[in-house]
Amino acid sequence: MTKRMIIMLACVLALIAALALGFYLHIRQVIANSPKPGPQTISTVKVEALEWQPQLSAVGTLSAVRGVDVSSEIVGLVREVNFKSGQEVKAGDLLIQLNADSDIAQLRSFEAAAELAAVVLERDRAQLEAQAVSQAQVDSDTADLKSRRALAAQQAATVAKKTIRAPFSGKLGITTVNPGQFLNPGDKIVTLQTIDPIYIDFYLPQKQIAGLAVGMVVNLTSDAYPGQTFSGKVTSISPKIDVATRNVQVQATIANAKRRLLPGMSARVGVDSGDKKRYLTLPQTAITYNPYGSTVFVVKPGEQKDAKGNAQQVVQQVFVTTGEARGDQVAILKGLQEGQEVVSSGQLKLQNGAAVAIDNTVQPANSPNPTPQEH
């Protein structure tokens, strides 16, 4: 290689180095002049300790304490309808009167025949004392009297069935039966339900049987009455486990004086189990769930100061151990202390040491008993 070529190569390398240095200085200046990211806007919540009542939760179905579809036992023509749809009735109140004229006439005939048989028996007994008739005749008269009285009693029962009464106190449903209508045996007249109190039937897993007992307090909520709670007590626990689901059936009795709860409705049930416990709680939105564990961002003062000279707020990510949930709230078992300030929304844009600006004008839901919001 000639000396001239070496000089040319050195010049090229020097030119490349100069261009690289210029480009590096330019990039550094651009970075230095670029605006620094400002604090991320977040909302926060204080870690607070609350007393929780441990509960066994389930969804159940309401059923009447007593309920039946009132029907006719025998055939007949409706003469009178003595109730209105939706009416409250007492046990024994008259509901339907069927036409019983012919049955009553036949009853009178049977009663007259029974009276005649009684007279004949008394006469034959008197003649037996005078030995005018045999004992066999008196025995025959006695059997005849019993038979005729039985026929009269049978006919009286038939007449009574033509009068249909309420078998127990309760509230009637809607009927379509009208006077003049012909009823066959088994035809539905009206439904009758006793709904104060009312039953709630629900199922719990077999692992919760140890914490279940008759007399426990039950709180019931229904989407039919948002924000309202109905109270009652566990009155019955099935002695058998369902082999298909491994659940046990539980029945509670709920006071229903205003008749707002109706048979067939579904409801959420909470059974108070054990003494109250004190937990540190956070809204569910404050917790980030990851495969390697649950984390939250704790707000604390940073080393730098803002434009007003105050210490800039920064966040630190910490691991927490979560417990049971209650509505929008989650119990925190480990990792936090009461009073610490935790990010409740805006975590996705944060990392350790990130500066934050707190804006709590809007807070995420944090209710122990949330209700659906429909718009």
Side-chain angles (χ1 to χ4, degrees):
M1 182 180 296
T2 63
K3 184 177 180 180
R4 184 176 180 182
M5 290 179 66
I6 295 174
I7 294 173
M8 290 179 61
L9 182 59
C11 290
V12 170
L13 292 175
L15 179 60
I16 293 173
L19 291 174
L21 178 61
F23 184 74
Y24 168 75
L25 294 175
H26 174 71
I27 294 298
R28 191 171 70 171
Q29 184 178 7
V30 169
I31 294 175
N33 293 335
S34 62
K36 296 182 179 180
Q40 301 291 339
T41 301
I42 59 167
S43 64
T44 62
V45 65
K46 294 283 188 180
V47 179
E48 58 179 339
L50 298 176
E51 283 191 342
W52 281 14
Q53 172 64 60
Q55 286 192 333
L56 308 177
S57 300
V59 176
T61 301
L62 292 163
S63 61
V65 171
R66 284 182 292 182
V68 67
D69 288 336
V70 180
S71 60
S72 175
E73 188 176 349
I74 60 176
V75 67
L77 188 70
V78 177
R79 173 177 286 179
E80 297 177 6
V81 177
N82 291 277
F83 67 91
K84 295 181 179 179
S85 296
Q87 179 181 337
E88 294 277 350
V89 295
K90 300 292 185 181
D93 284 356
L94 178 62
L95 300 180
I96 294 288
Q97 179 63 62
L98 300 179
N99 184 12
D101 293 343
S102 60
D103 298 290
I104 294 175
Q106 191 169 8
L107 173 62
R108 299 290 179 261
S109 174
F110 287 150
E111 290 175 342
E115 291 174 1
L116 176 60
V119 171
V120 172
L121 175 61
E122 290 299 320
R123 183 175 61 245
D124 287 348
R125 281 177 177 173
Q127 292 185 3
L128 177 63
E129 294 178 358
Q131 297 184 351
V133 295
S134 65
Q135 181 64 44
Q137 181 62 42
V138 173
D139 293 341
S140 177
D141 292 341
T142 302
D144 183 60
L145 174 61
K146 291 180 179 179
S147 175
R148 294 186 182 280
R149 283 178 175 175
L151 289 173
Q154 182 181 17
Q155 187 62 23
T158 301
V159 171
K161 291 177 182 179
K162 294 295 182 75
T163 302
I164 302 173
R165 301 182 180 274
F168 49 83
S169 300
K171 186 175 183 179
L172 297 173
I174 298 174
T175 184
T176 58
V177 174
N178 295 293
Q181 183 173 340
F182 191 82
L183 292 180
N184 289 308
D187 284 353
K188 176 182 174 181
I189 298 172
V190 67
T191 185
L192 175 61
Q193 305 285 324
T194 298
I195 57 176
D196 180 29
I198 194 168
Y199 287 145
I200 177 74
D201 295 288
F202 55 96
Y203 290 84
L204 290 173
Q206 65 178 16
K207 66 179 181 181
Q208 297 179 342
I209 293 179
L212 191 63
V214 172
M216 281 184 166
V217 176
V218 172
N219 295 307
L220 180 149
T221 58
S222 172
D223 54 9
Y225 305 102
Q228 298 185 39
T229 301
F230 303 86
S231 298
K233 291 185 177 180
V234 174
T235 50
S236 181
I237 302 172
S238 175
K240 180 182 178 181
I241 302 294
D242 189 327
V243 296
T245 62
R246 303 302 176 185
N247 292 337
V248 62
Q249 184 178 5
V250 183
Q251 187 176 79
T253 304
I254 309 295
N256 190 30
K258 295 183 179 180
R259 313 296 200 275
R260 290 183 292 178
L261 299 175
L262 301 177
M265 291 175 61
S266 65
R268 292 176 294 276
V269 184
V271 182
D272 292 349
S273 175
D275 299 328
K276 292 184 177 180
K277 296 182 180 179
R278 192 172 179 83
Y279 290 112
L280 297 179
T281 64
L282 285 176
Q284 298 216 31
T285 57
I287 303 170
T288 303
Y289 297 95
N290 301 294
Y292 50 83
S294 303
T295 61
V296 299
F297 282 98
V298 177
V299 179
K300 64 177 186 177
E303 298 179 354
Q304 298 182 4
K305 296 184 180 298
D306 56 19
K308 297 181 179 180
N310 299 321
Q312 199 172 47
Q313 299 285 81
V314 297
V315 293
Q316 178 184 2
Q317 192 174 31
V318 298
F319 285 92
V320 294
T321 301
T322 58
E324 59 183 301
R326 185 182 65 169
D328 298 321
Q329 300 175 345
V330 178
I332 304 299
L333 306 181
K334 291 182 181 179
L336 294 175
Q337 296 179 352
E338 185 176 359
Q340 285 185 292
E341 192 171 13
V342 174
V343 177
S344 58
S345 64
Q347 301 96 319
L348 294 178
K349 53 189 176 183
L350 299 180
Q351 58 184 359
N352 265 327
V356 294
I358 300 173
D359 181 3
N360 287 333
T361 54
V362 178
Q363 283 285 357
N366 189 26
S367 170
N369 298 298
T371 55
Q373 300 296 322
E374 298 180 359
H375 301 281

